[in-house]
């Protein structure tokens, strides 16, 4: 009987392996940059065409390969990085399985040009779909060029799963950004279809690297983070809450210098920003988490984006504490002078009126460095209305006070725009922050004993919700005792609640607890309780307030960390540009 088992030939094996290593153009870029880093390069340039589908070219000035090694490198399980099994422990280099180049070569037209120090000439090898097509000696400097053309040309099914140019290059751009932040001593240049997107020389500090990749507006509004817990450390930068983004792409986190996209890390970071950002926004952050290598498994995910921590709770605490503290220590400060227009804005057509940067703008820029966000960027005003204003560059106390519309908003101006400020939302912001701050740093909120304890009658469900959260409420300054089956007796509460309608506050809190109580995370319940308290304690829209009080409010907002949104994430102000009013009044300019 003849055998039905075939030994798979090398090319087929490589194509199967390619399925694991090569998912899309960005995975090719990742493997090739990691090789260049491993080769000790100090300068790496990356060019892609058509989202990497047509071409990926990586050039480096690393140690290069000898003529013989160049061939070996293209073979599966050929690696210079592992000699025996014991090397597997404490792997320091990025790649170590020795299959990337072979896998990539099996699903593309790959050209490898490389030369090391000892060879008089370099080697130029062309491989198509895994078979060697050409090999020549070539004059070349030390280092390596890998060109990958027509990815998946021989794997039509895989090719079909690739997304369009924008999506694929978006992945690559983000990847290069992350790698460049994690390797500041290496210079990077990245271009898409001939347009340079990242150009950053070797630098000495993360801040310098950020400076070369993010817009000035972001740069000027970064807060440094540096916090240690046990043997772990988190350090880096977060942008002030108004600079939060509409996608998670600018949340750039690293564990032991490896770029990661980890749910636990992101959740801990987001928690520190709770109540400071609008809904649906994500922190702009560059954060390095350092844990000892035995406390983390980085090889959980084949793309090595996810990690598994031995002690996830402490890692979450580390990040949350570090970022919260940095945010508290740094009140919102204003960008004093937005400076001259950028090249970007000068290129825009002349007839479009110049207008200040708006929130919409922020959402539109996928990457912080692509569109500088300094004010002065022109926006078409054809369908313009009042704009929500999250990154206004003027301090609140520098705004002119026009007055207050009875039972409604405070009206201000900055010389170019009329600004409507929501006094209730603004006050809420301030109360919420003082609650959070008290909790984070003193752990008790000033509470005063009521001369006459107050009985509050509740429904059975309400009573149950309130009673089962006695401790959390006590930490918010509300002290009560049970009083009959469904009633409670309030003995002490924060002063500003005493002034409001206590019963009302307690019922609202019961409602909040019922709504959020389902969530397992007690922290988010506290936050929800604080939001409710802040709302109750704040002046109503209809409360008349005097000019002196308005001034005090504006000053307090300037000292606040997130003076552009209320704790529920609603904006505090909208502005209407005077240009808009002129236009409506039929004035030409
Ligand atoms: P691995 O990185 O896991 O070893 P690869 O297939 O990515 O496997 O690379 C195979 C080998 O080729 C590497 O071990 C290294 O010796 C060599 N190599 C690959 N890229 C480069 C480069 N840019 N510069 C120098 N040597 C390289
Ligand atoms: Mg490799």
């Amino acid at each position: 009987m003849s055998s039905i088992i075939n030994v798979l030939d090398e090319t087929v094996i490589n194509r199967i392996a390619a399925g694991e290593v090569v998912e899309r153009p960005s995975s090719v870029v990742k493997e090739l940059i990691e090789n260049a880093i491993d080769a000790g390069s100090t300068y790496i340039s990356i060019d892609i065409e058509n989202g990497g589908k047509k071409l990926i070219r990586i050039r480096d000035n690393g140690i290069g390969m000898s003529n013989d090694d160049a061939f070996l490198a293209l073979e599966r399980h050929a690696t210079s990085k592992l000699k025996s099994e014991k090397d597997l422990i404490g792997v320091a280099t990025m790649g170590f399985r020795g299959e990337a180049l072979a896998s990539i070569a099996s699903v593309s037209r790959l050209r490898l040009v490389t030369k090391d120090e000892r060879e008089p000439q370099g080697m130029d090898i062309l491989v198509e779909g895994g078979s060697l097509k050409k090999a020549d000696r070539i004059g070349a400097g030390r280092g390596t060029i890998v060109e990958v053309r027509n990815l998946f040309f021989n794997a039509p099914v895989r090719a079909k799963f690739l997304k369009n140019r924008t999506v694929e290059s978006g992945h690559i751009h983000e990847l290069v950004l992350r790698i460049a932040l994690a390797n500041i001593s290496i210079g990077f240049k990245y271009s898409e279809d001939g347009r340079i997107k990242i150009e950053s020389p070797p630098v000495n500090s993360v801040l310098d690297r950020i400076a070369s990749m993010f817009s000035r507006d972001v740069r000027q509004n970064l807060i440094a983070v540096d916090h240690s817990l046990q043997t772990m450390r988190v350090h880096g930068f977060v942008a002030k809450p108004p600079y939060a983004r509409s996608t998670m792409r600018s949340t750039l986190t690293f564990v032991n210098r490896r770029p990661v996209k980890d749910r636990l890390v992101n959740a801990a970071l987001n928690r520190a920003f709770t109540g400071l950002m609008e809904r649906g926004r994500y922190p702009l952050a560059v954060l390095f988490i350092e844990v000892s290598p035995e406390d983390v498994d980085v090889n959980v995910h084949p793309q090595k984006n996810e990690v598994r921590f031995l002690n996830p709770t402490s890692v979450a605490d580390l990040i949350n504490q570090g970022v919260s503290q940095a945010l508290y220590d740094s009140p919102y400060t204003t960008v004093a002078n937005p400076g001259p227009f950028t090249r970007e804005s000068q290129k825009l057509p002349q007839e479009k009126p110049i207008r200040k940067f708006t929130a919409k703008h922020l959402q539109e820029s996928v990457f912080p460095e692509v569109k500088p966000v300094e004010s002065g960027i022109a926006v078409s005003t054809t369908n313009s209305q009042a704009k929500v204003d999250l990154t206004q560059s003027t301090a609140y106390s520098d705004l002119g006070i026009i007055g207050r519309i009875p039972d409604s908003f405070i009206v201000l101006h900055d010389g170019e725009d009329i600004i409507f400020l929501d006094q209730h939302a603004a006050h809420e912001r301030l109360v919420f922050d003082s609650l959070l701050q008290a909790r984070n740093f003193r752990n008790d909120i000033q509470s005063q004993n009521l001369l006459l304890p107050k009985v509050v009658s509740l429904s059975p469900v309400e009573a149950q919700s309130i009673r089962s959260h006695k401790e959390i409420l006590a930490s918010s300054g509300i002290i009560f005792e049970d009083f009959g089956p469904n009633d409670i007796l309030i003995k002490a509460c924060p002063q500003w609640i005493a002034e409001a309608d206590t019963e009302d506050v307690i019922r609202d809190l019961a409602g909040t607890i019922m709504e959020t109580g389902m969530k397992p995370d007690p922290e988010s319940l506290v936050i929800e309780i604080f939001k409710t308290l802040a709302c109750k304690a704040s002046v109503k829209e209809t409360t008349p307030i005097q000019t002196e009080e308005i001034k005090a409010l504006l000053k307090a907002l300037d000292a606040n960390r997130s003076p552009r949104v209320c704790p529920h994430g609603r904006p505090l102000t909208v502005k209407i540009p005077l240009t808009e009013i002129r236009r409506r009044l039929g004035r030409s300019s």
Side-chain angles (χ1 to χ4, degrees):
M1 211 174 113
S2 68
S3 168
I4 55 163
I5 297 177
N6 290 316
V7 177
L8 293 174
D9 83 27
E10 186 74 0
T11 320
V12 177
I13 295 175
N14 283 336
R15 282 182 62 181
I16 294 170
E20 288 168 29
V21 182
V22 188
E23 191 194 345
R24 55 180 353 132
S26 66
S27 25
V28 172
V29 174
K30 179 167 187 282
E31 294 294 336
L32 297 181
I33 297 183
E34 289 184 349
N35 281 349
I37 294 175
D38 284 348
S41 311
T42 57
Y43 187 85
I44 301 173
S45 87
I46 303 109
D47 303 296
I48 64 158
E49 284 175 25
N50 193 21
K53 293 183 281 187
K54 185 170 170 217
L55 172 73
I56 294 167
R57 185 192 300 117
I58 316 275
R59 270 179 294 186
D60 70 52
N61 63 353
I63 56 171
M65 290 172 250
S66 70
N67 292 350
D68 291 346
D69 280 353
F71 290 97
L72 270 179
L74 291 161
E75 273 174 34
R76 191 160 149 77
H77 299 307
T79 174
S80 56
K81 298 163 195 170
L82 267 191
K83 298 236 154 44
S84 68
E85 202 182 316
K86 73 173 191 311
D87 292 348
L88 257 180
I89 304 158
V91 180
T93 51
M94 300 263 181
F96 47 81
R97 291 188 303 184
E99 60 185 16
L101 278 183
S103 305
I104 297 164
S106 73
V107 288
S108 68
R109 299 191 166 94
L110 184 144
R111 182 174 173 215
L112 170 68
V113 178
T114 188
K115 184 184 118 54
D116 76 358
E117 219 148 49
R118 286 158 304 176
E119 302 279 1
Q121 278 192 303
M123 189 51 91
D124 182 357
I125 303 174
L126 186 68
V127 180
E128 283 188 13
S131 22
L132 182 67
K133 289 286 165 199
K134 221 166 74 152
D136 300 305
R137 290 192 199 272
I138 188 177
R142 194 192 83 163
T144 303
I145 304 171
V146 180
E147 268 180 18
V148 176
R149 286 180 193 275
N150 312 110
L151 185 63
F152 298 141
F153 80 99
N154 56 351
V157 180
R158 298 207 133 243
K160 234 187 266 168
F161 280 100
L162 294 181
K163 300 279 193 299
N164 64 33
R165 174 198 305 242
T166 319
V167 174
E168 295 299 345
S169 48
H171 283 299
I172 298 173
H173 192 163
E174 186 185 350
L175 173 81
V176 178
L177 199 69
R178 285 171 180 269
I179 296 180
L181 283 165
N183 297 278
I184 55 171
S185 56
I186 301 174
F188 284 90
K189 190 171 153 199
Y190 166 65
S191 76
E192 289 173 5
D193 303 297
R195 280 198 311 275
I196 296 175
K197 296 282 179 169
I198 296 176
E199 188 163 24
S200 181
V203 289
N204 290 320
S205 73
V206 172
L207 197 58
D208 286 343
R209 175 121 299 171
I210 293 175
S212 70
M213 301 199 302
F214 288 74
S215 74
R216 191 165 46 139
D217 204 25
V218 167
R219 252 143 55 205
Q220 290 173 335
N221 287 286
L222 291 174
I223 301 169
V225 174
D226 196 344
H227 181 65
S228 298
L229 185 68
Q230 295 145 20
T231 55
M232 307 172 296
R233 178 174 172 222
V234 59
H235 59 105
F237 298 89
V238 294
K240 288 173 185 164
Y243 293 86
R245 302 281 149 151
S246 57
T247 75
M248 234 159 52
R249 285 189 163 178
S250 299
T251 303
L252 303 158
T253 52
F254 304 82
V255 173
N256 294 349
R257 297 274 153 180
R258 266 176 206 267
V260 298
K261 281 187 190 171
D262 189 80
R263 279 181 52 196
L264 174 109
V265 170
N266 288 339
L269 173 61
N270 283 329
R271 195 137 66 76
F273 276 83
T274 311
L276 298 176
M277 302 180 298
E278 276 183 298
R279 254 173 227 284
R281 299 227 145 226
Y282 302 91
L284 193 161
V286 177
L287 282 184
F288 298 92
I289 297 139
E290 320 269 6
V291 300
S292 54
E294 63 269 17
D295 287 344
V296 62
D297 181 358
V298 290
N299 284 317
V300 183
H301 194 277
Q303 293 286 316
K304 299 172 206 149
N305 276 331
E306 273 172 30
V307 289
R308 189 180 293 140
F309 296 103
L310 199 66
N311 193 346
T313 325
S314 343
V315 175
D317 284 349
L318 168 82
I319 298 168
N320 184 36
Q321 286 173 9
V323 176
S324 300
Q325 190 146 356
L327 288 169
Y328 279 111
D329 289 349
S330 167
Y332 179 85
T333 45
T334 51
V335 186
N337 181 358
F341 294 159
T342 59
R343 259 191 7 244
E344 211 64 27
S345 68
Q346 284 167 349
K347 273 188 258 155
L348 290 162
Q350 294 271 301
E351 61 271 17
K352 284 186 181 169
I354 301 299
R355 189 127 67 66
K356 284 217 165 171
F357 163 68
T358 63
K360 187 163 165 282
H361 227 100
L362 199 67
Q363 275 158 5
E364 280 164 2
S365 65
V366 182
F367 283 98
E369 78 286 8
V370 176
K371 267 187 200 168
V373 291
E374 279 91 354
S375 56
I377 288 176
V379 191
S380 155
T381 51
T382 38
N383 60 350
S384 77
Q385 288 166 352
K387 293 282 183 185
V388 166
D389 176 34
L390 294 177
T391 53
Q392 140 193 332
S393 52
T394 325
Y396 277 103
S397 33
D398 289 343
L399 299 174
I401 299 173
I402 298 174
R404 191 175 158 273
I405 301 171
D407 295 345
S408 175
F409 301 108
I410 295 169
V411 188
L412 310 159
H413 75 89
D414 67 2
E416 286 173 32
D417 314 284
I418 298 173
I419 296 153
F420 293 83
L421 172 69
D422 182 334
Q423 65 182 35
H424 171 74
H427 199 196
E428 235 180 325
R429 166 87 267 152
L430 299 173
V431 177
F432 177 77
D433 260 36
S434 64
L435 285 171
L436 264 191
Q437 204 149 352
R439 175 186 161 78
N440 282 14
F441 295 101
R442 276 180 274 115
N443 270 328
D444 66 328
I445 284 162
Q446 285 194 356
S447 173
Q448 67 175 30
N449 290 325
L450 299 182
L451 287 176
L452 282 177
K454 191 158 186 169
V455 181
V456 178
S457 305
L458 298 165
S459 75
V461 199
E462 284 173 336
Q464 158 84 33
S465 315
I466 292 287
R467 284 173 180 170
S468 54
H469 293 86
K470 203 165 183 164
E471 269 170 38
I472 289 183
L473 289 170
S475 72
S476 315
I478 299 170
I479 317 283
F480 65 89
E481 276 174 9
D482 292 353
F483 191 74
N486 293 324
D487 296 355
I488 58 166
L489 189 66
I490 311 281
K491 305 197 79 175
C493 64
Q495 195 203 334
W496 35 264
I497 293 189
E499 286 163 6
D501 185 345
T502 325
E503 266 194 65
D504 211 27
V505 172
I506 299 294
R507 284 224 179 77
D508 266 31
L509 283 177
T512 305
I513 292 169
M514 286 188 275
E515 276 169 40
T516 17
M518 296 299 153
K519 293 186 195 156
D521 176 13
E523 189 66 21
S524 44
L525 179 61
V526 175
I527 301 284
E528 290 309 316
I529 288 178
F530 283 178
K531 285 183 190 170
T532 306
L533 290 178
C535 180
K536 282 290 156 189
S538 301
V539 293
K540 302 225 165 35
E541 189 180 301
T542 49
T543 309
I545 70 171
Q546 306 304 314
T547 310
E548 283 314 308
E549 292 171 293
I550 296 178
K551 281 186 186 156
L553 181 65
L554 298 180
K555 226 170 148 184
L557 285 173
D558 281 332
N560 187 274
R561 331 168 267 157
S562 191
R564 306 297 173 209
V565 289
C566 82
H568 306 280
R570 285 191 298 268
L572 302 191
T573 58
V574 287
K575 53 165 79 168
I576 300 178
L578 279 180
T579 50
E580 172 72 12
I581 308 237
R582 284 209 186 84
R583 196 183 60 80
R584 293 198 185 190
L585 289 173
R587 301 278 206 103
S588 51
S589 61

